[in-house]
């Protein structure tokens, strides 16, 4: 998880998800989260604006992580392979050890309309980050917009499938299957 | 526009867009919108919950309109052609005469974070409606979810392109070009 957030933020996220699961999102307070993580409330607010914000740590970091991975991508990939390479690298690096945490987070977000709206905004931030990389690679703007949306669509669908599926399928495999599935459906 | 909302709702929408363009969204009131449309405030509230709601008339109706079009689709289309047939029919029926209104609406929505969030939620309602039709056609649930998201992606990208492009390209043509473009990018 080397590309991700500082350790304190990760510990706070884990503590928050545990508490939300144990006693519910509404009944959990920021001081409780900080205490469970062995940190102060003040440290909490150095990393997050409010209680809700801890749920969006990965989303906040995700655009920058994907951009960094794409900057290190091998030369000579087609644009779509470049995008899928970025998601593949992130999936291999950051997700499989965290499936239960990602599942817990998703359950909480789906329980609240405001959290769902915020989640949708974050997908559009991710698409924007990928679009920026594609523009730097010389893609025409409409192509960059279309392909970045396509990549996020495949990633979001793969994430759903991975969260709902059996426990032994790594995300990067589900990602490849999802892209193949969409290719068959639309080809 | 036979499949769309009652005439009074359409008149209120048009009056609202005119006033928002003339004097700004914040400075426009519901009584002003009703008066411009030659209707009462009470009639306004029979069609819309609040001032913001008038901006989402098309989005509110869009899932039902697309479902109705898909129910009338010719037999024997592949699933992706069925989805694109629905958007093609809606594009031919309801958009080209309204381009300036759709543009005005989009400018207002982009100016406000709450309106943008609501817009994103409506895209997901549209994808849900298409997914329902695909499930009725016997598609497996992951395929239905993936293909409906794909359809909405192509439609949203085509709508952007149509709104930003020259005035003489009908939306249904832009839609076909967008699908072809995405096919080339991902093929």
């Amino acid at each position: 998880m080397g590309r991700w957030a500082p350790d304190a933020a990760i510990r706070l996220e884990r503590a928050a998800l545990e508490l939300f699961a144990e006693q519910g999102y509404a009944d959990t307070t920021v001081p409780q989260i900080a205490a469970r993580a062995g940190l102060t409330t003040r440290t909490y607010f150095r990393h997050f604006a409010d209680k809700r914000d801890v749920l969006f740590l990965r989303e906040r970091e995700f655009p920058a992580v994907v951009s960094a991975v794409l900057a290190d991508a091998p030369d000579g990939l087609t644009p779509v392979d470049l995008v899928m390479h970025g998601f593949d690298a992130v999936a291999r690096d950051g997700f499989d050890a965290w499936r239960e945490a990602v599942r817990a987070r998703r359950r909480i977000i789906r329980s609240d309309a405001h959290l769902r709206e915020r989640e949708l905004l974050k997908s559009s931030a991710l698409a924007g980050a990928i679009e920026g990389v594609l523009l730097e690679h010389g893609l025409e703007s409409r192509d960059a917009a279309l392909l970045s949306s396509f990549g996020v669509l495949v990633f979001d669908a793969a994430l759903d499938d991975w969260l709902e599926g059996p426990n032994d399928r790594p995300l990067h495999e589900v990602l490849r299957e999802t892209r193949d599935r969409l290719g068959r459906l639309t080809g």
Side-chain angles (χ1 to χ4, degrees), chain A:
Chain A
M1 305 291 287
R3 296 182 193 272
W4 293 90
D7 182 57
I10 301 271
R11 278 164 61 195
L12 288 161
E13 178 198 43
R14 189 185 315 214
L17 288 170
E18 284 173 13
L19 286 166
F20 295 160
E22 287 166 23
Q23 60 191 39
Y25 175 74
D27 290 336
T28 299
T29 65
V30 166
Q32 288 173 340
I33 296 169
R36 172 73 63 102
L39 296 166
T40 63
T41 300
R42 194 164 156 181
T43 300
Y44 182 95
F45 286 114
R46 268 209 296 277
H47 293 283
F48 304 106
D50 54 28
K51 183 172 78 173
R52 192 168 89 151
D53 207 29
V54 72
L55 286 166
F56 294 92
L57 173 63
R58 302 303 161 128
E59 278 61 22
R60 190 171 77 193
E61 307 239 316
F62 203 28
V65 170
V66 172
S67 294
V69 167
L70 290 179
D72 292 343
D75 290 334
L77 295 176
T78 63
V80 66
D81 286 334
L82 177 67
V83 172
M84 298 313 296
H85 167 82
F87 284 122
D88 177 82
V90 171
R92 286 171 192 270
D93 182 45
F95 277 85
D96 290 305
W98 290 86
R99 186 151 80 160
E100 282 316 308
V102 179
R103 268 191 184 144
R105 179 186 168 280
R106 176 158 296 208
R107 265 195 301 277
I108 296 158
I109 287 175
R110 292 203 168 159
S111 71
D112 183 287
H114 289 289
L115 297 176
R116 280 199 303 275
E117 290 187 11
R118 180 155 170 189
E119 178 88 337
L120 289 171
L121 281 179
K122 294 290 174 172
S123 281
S124 90
L126 176 59
I130 297 169
E131 190 177 341
V133 172
L134 292 173
L135 290 171
E136 283 168 23
H137 275 76
L139 240 67
E140 194 250 309
S141 74
R142 284 179 304 179
D143 288 352
L146 203 52
L147 196 50
S148 61
S149 299
F150 175 86
V152 172
L153 183 165
V154 171
F155 184 78
D156 283 347
L159 198 66
D160 279 344
D161 197 10
W162 173 72
L163 288 172
E164 285 156 22
N167 279 298
D168 54 355
R169 293 167 72 211
L171 178 58
H172 70 92
E173 280 185 26
V174 181
L175 198 56
R176 190 170 35 73
E177 287 167 20
T178 303
R179 185 189 164 188
D180 292 346
R181 172 190 298 271
L182 187 56
R184 280 194 305 275
L185 282 166
T186 61

